Amino acid sequence: MIVRIGSFRSRHDRAVVLIAFWLLLALLGPLCSSYDLGAIGSQPVFSGPSPAHLLGTDYLGRDTLARLLNGIRHTVLLCFASTVLSCSIGTFLGIAAVTARPWVEALTGRLADGFLSIPSLLFALLVIAVFGTSTTALIVTMGVIYTPGAYRTSRALAQRIARLDFVTVARARGESTTYIILQEILPNMAGPMITDVGLRFIYSVLLLSNLSFLGIGVQPPEVDLGSMVRENMLGMAYGSPAMIVPVIVIAVLTVGINLALDSSGGRR
Amino acid sequence: MAATIQVENLEIVGRRGKGAELPIVRDVSFSVQRGEMLALIGESGSGKTTVALSLLGHIRKGCRIAGGKIRVAGYDVTALTPHECRSIRGRIISYVAQNAGSAFNPALSIMRQVVEPALVHRILPRRDLEARAVSLFRALALPDPETIGERYPGELSGGQLQRLMAAMALMTDPEVVVFDEPTTALDVTTQIEVLAAFKAVFAERGITGVYVTHDLSVVAQIADHAVVLKDGAIKESGTVSKILFQPEDPYSQALLTAAEPRSRQADLARQPEQPSLLDVRNLVVGYGQPTSAGLPEKVIVNHVNFSVPKGSMLGVIGESGCGKSTLARAISGLQPWAAGELLLNGTPLAADVRERTPEQRRHLQLVAQNADSVLNPSKPIGQALERVVRFYGGLRGGAATRRVNELLDMVRLSPTLASRLPSELSGGQKQRINFARALAADPQIVLCDEITAALDTVVAAAILDLMKELQRDLGLAFIFITHDLHALQSICDRVAVLYAGQAVEVGPAVALGQGVHHPYTRLLHDSVPLMEPGWLEATQTRRLAEATPAPISPLSLDPGLCCFLARCPDRVSGLCDRVPPPVRSVPEGPRVLCHLPAFDRPEFST
Amino acid sequence: MNRHLVLLIGRRFLAAATSLVFVVVTVFAITNVLPGDATDALLGQGATPQAVAAMRHNLGLDRSVFVRFWFWLWGILHAEFGNSLLNGLSVADAIGPRLHNSLLLAGASAAVSVPVSLFLGVTSAIWKDTVYDRVVSILTLGMVSVPEFVIATIAVYVFAVRLHLLPALADVGSVHSLRQFLSAFFMPVASLALVTLAQMVRMTRAAMADTLSAPYIEMALLKGVGPIRLILVHAIPNAIGPIVNAVALSLSSLLGGVVVIEVVFTYPGISGLMVDAVSSRDVPTVQACALVFCVTYLFLTTFADIVTILSLPRGRKT
Ligand SMILES: Nc1ncnc2c1ncn2[C@@H]1O[C@H](COP(=O)(O)OP(=O)(O)O)[C@@H](O)[C@H]1O
Ligand code: SF4
Ligand SMILES: [Mg+2]
């Protein structure tokens, strides 16, 4: 098992590089475009690619590329934030469940089971119905939704590592719980946890895109990849890039990370 | 007459993941005549199983036969189509797998699986096959031969499954049977029963076969010829007596030296009586809620008593599941105990390691079982050692590095290893580092749990030598937990025999072969195969000569009675099944937990 | 042995009951943390305090949380989910026919996707590492990696926009003939089946491949057992539990898919209702729809676990 953690490192590296690339694009991309986002151009709507508008225009005649770069920003940053949230809380609770007193595990385990018995999209709908679609609400909602999954993964990992002999020996030596967590358990969890982070990032991209597509995610005038598809649905009839390109970008984003992780696991 | 099995210049290559193809088996040739048994001897990874499987035309995923010829009972196995291959498997040549526990399908009853090879080859109708299976069960000395077939694999023990697997292999009266380490996973007392059952069937049916093993004493009992494999190539081949008694190849010689029981005690002058370092008194460890008697629901270690004098080595022996590791965990303060006490240098130790003083923790070090998981895979070993040096000794910087080098030298490793990660070390090296880490604390007593179990014999022998050196040079005391009696006898001063959580005997290790002992100790001692051909038969004859009382079901017994009652050949009816056994001491000899009036026994009075 | 089994299943039911309580409490809790919202939504921001107070009284919002929870629970137990804040109509009445439509859609898609994915999953595990397996793997990986609406939109684009084969919008109300039925249902069912298919194939393949790598399978090969018997007698009985589990888990992703598909095709099901209710913050409707979904989901997962327990081999039940 342990040997595997080492030998699969390259796979994690690839996923990390990919996510870093998307983050960079999200942060810098919008700066590269000279178009004003909100400005409704004099251009015809759903025009094809031209030198002025490399990806044509959208349903209001705005520059698709500029909108797209902004959409990527929203999708990637929102999902990244919620993934960081869910994975850090999940990992913390997972390790706590293994190292703290038994009732902590009993309680967190029950809570996770409970949350997991609500389908993720449903949970999102429920929360959004009450708290609305502000950016914070979206991030927190998605963070909460994927915390139980991250908790389970990290708990299983920590449990496996905590049973290994080197942890036993450290405990027999009288090392503190903090030392054992930081020095013995965490470093060996890092690799597999990166896979989990990658997966959860993909899940949040899928969820957010679905929500926005349904009109209850990112709201105009802001835009993300899902809402961009929604806005430009009519462009489908003309094969407009405004509708097709965001679909392709979502696919490249998620399929790419998934391929890097080459996970065979299911969606949760 | 042509040989039944003929392998010529066999070459098998394989690849790991996407790497290049590497040779797994190189230029292997051997032949087996009708009615003979050939032993394939080698350490783990030497290609034994690959060769054995290739006889059935089965090559594992990622591997392929790169050259050579295999002929079995007139079939050219390397040239067969998959369909033809299937038609000889199970009919002409059959296979007994290493771990019967996982080689039986958990979802099907035993009988369905045992008759299957004969059924798929349409040898006889099912009804006749079941009758034949029952007679095989009987021949292999299985309990309840009539009904055992209705049970499922999960309900039977490892030894029973291994014999059932042999029955399955013999169902079709095949010309050749391949045995792949069939007794390696078993306890010695079970192994001897399985071996005896195999041997009886071989004698009756005149079986031609290949027997894969790493245990030379088993080879002596079972085989006529032997082949020694290393890294996929043959080192030496010949008759068993030649390989075992006049080996020519240096590697076979090394194997033999490592396997021979030998005492490492000779150089230790008889020491004056040392004061006791560690005392275990009436220790009870278990799992589950405490019952009304104040004991845990499931008692694993049951009122165990022993002491370890300064600088001495105590061996703890018992079969798997008897509570050895639990005992070690309790002594290390990782598992709370329900009753009893533990004294280190006369002061009581707290049950929880966190409540022991740093000094106490330093004096008592644990060397854990599994070489693969005993070192943190993400830490270079130098750092791992340094941590301990700093934790106990407070050394830092240059002083710490010096101490680490000193420790590496103590376990005979080069200081250059300090920057390596554990995954870059071999099993034996890891186990040495494991020792070095315990030594880094400068302990008085080291607890070793099955540290040689996963190692190859040659490597394990070197570790035993190291332990003895450390005992002599540093005056260390050891508790050496093992299931290998030879290893124990070769290094330990005293021995505690554990059965079902009770220390049924505690005494000097040298006396194990002679004098009066607890019946379980005797059984254990007599079950360890010796490297003498004919040992198995002699032992079986001796056992049969002793009138063994009818077995009784262990379930009906009162837990207060002798724990060995159900299996004991010497039990005194009316006494053992009524009254819990007393503790008896033999002068100058062991302390046993048994009713047998030791002084009445014939070998003692004569 | 049998008592043990009953105990295991009993424990599973108990867990399901706990989850049910959790779900009910969570749904209520989330929708009640901001009690002001209901009145805001109904009366708008500029309402007079008196009007708000009267409204709150009418809705029972001035009573304690526990009392409200009790009334709400009492209502659910009598299939009484309250009235929509939007139009004041009974939520139960609105849900009824739509639930029927949704179940029809989900059932039809499952009837298509389950057999197809069992076939694909099992066969690609058997022919692991062949070209066939690679193609199935890559395609399904691609499909699980894109959001459901993408698959649905592509289906609309290809069949309705490009090929003009089918109506893009489901008009279930005007179904009078088998032909109409087929054309109204085909698109949503096909898209939904596609959405769930990929994941089911992947999980089935994983479960089957796991079984096929077990030592007893190699042993059966060494006994001369042929490929068909190997799969049917040796592999399937051991793989059945994990496979059912995989299927149930994927069917629950069908619940997520249903929402998207119904919206894309403006299919008159329960999810369309729910999404509209979410946009307009119609809490009673959202509550009711969420409960319906959660209970269905719980039912599926519990069912799968019980099948898994029943398929455990003898002597292995822990
Ligand atoms: N956490 C546990 N709960 C209940 N029983 C256990 C637990 N851990 C070990 N055991 C049981 O304790 C017995 C002794 O185990 P162990 O000390 O590991 O034996 P050994 O080291 O001699 O092989 C076994 O029967 C095992 O099943
Ligand atoms: S007490 Fe009796 S049954 Fe137990 S070991 Fe001694 S003789 Fe055998
Ligand atoms: Mg052990």
Side-chain angles (χ1 to χ4, degrees), chain B residues 424-474:
Chain B
E424 299 163 48
L425 302 183
S426 72
Q429 285 174 323
K430 279 188 242 181
Q431 217 49 305
R432 280 167 196 266
I433 298 292
N434 198 359
F435 257 109
R437 184 172 53 186
L439 298 178
D442 199 6
Q444 296 182 335
I445 179 165
V446 179
L447 213 76
C448 308
D449 185 4
E450 299 265 19
I451 47 168
T452 53
L455 301 178
D456 286 322
T457 29
V458 177
V459 183
I463 295 277
L464 294 181
D465 288 334
L466 174 68
M467 283 174 70
K468 207 62 203 175
E469 273 174 47
L470 292 172
Q471 184 195 10
R472 192 184 49 216
D473 300 347
L474 304 176

Side-chain angles (χ1 to χ4, degrees), chain C residues 63-81:
Chain C
R63 274 172 278 186
S64 91
V65 174
F66 296 102
V67 176
R68 275 185 287 138
F69 180 65
W70 175 246
F71 279 125
W72 183 69
L73 197 63
W74 187 252
I76 300 177
L77 293 177
H78 294 83
E80 196 38 73
F81 294 98

Side-chain angles (χ1 to χ4, degrees), chain B residues 518-519 562-565 568 570-572 576 581 593-596:
Chain B
H518 188 278
C562 169
C563 57
F564 192 53
L565 184 57
C568 181
D570 302 327
R571 71 170 173 264
V572 188
C576 297
L593 195 65
C594 177
H595 274 299
L596 277 190

Side-chain angles (χ1 to χ4, degrees), chain B residues 411-425:
Chain B
V411 296
R412 312 279 173 269
L413 288 176
S414 143
T416 52
L417 289 182
S419 58
R420 300 257 187 99
L421 285 173
S423 56
E424 299 163 48
L425 302 183

Side-chain angles (χ1 to χ4, degrees), chain B residues 320-321 323-326 369 449-450 481:
Chain B
S320 66
K324 303 184 296 288
S325 296
T326 310
Q369 182 161 5
D449 185 4
E450 299 265 19
I481 294 177

Side-chain angles (χ1 to χ4, degrees), chain A residues 179-194:
Chain A
Y179 175 87
I180 289 179
I181 292 175
L182 292 182
Q183 294 290 319
E184 309 278 0
I185 297 184
L186 264 183
N188 295 304
M189 279 176 69
M193 272 320 283
I194 287 176

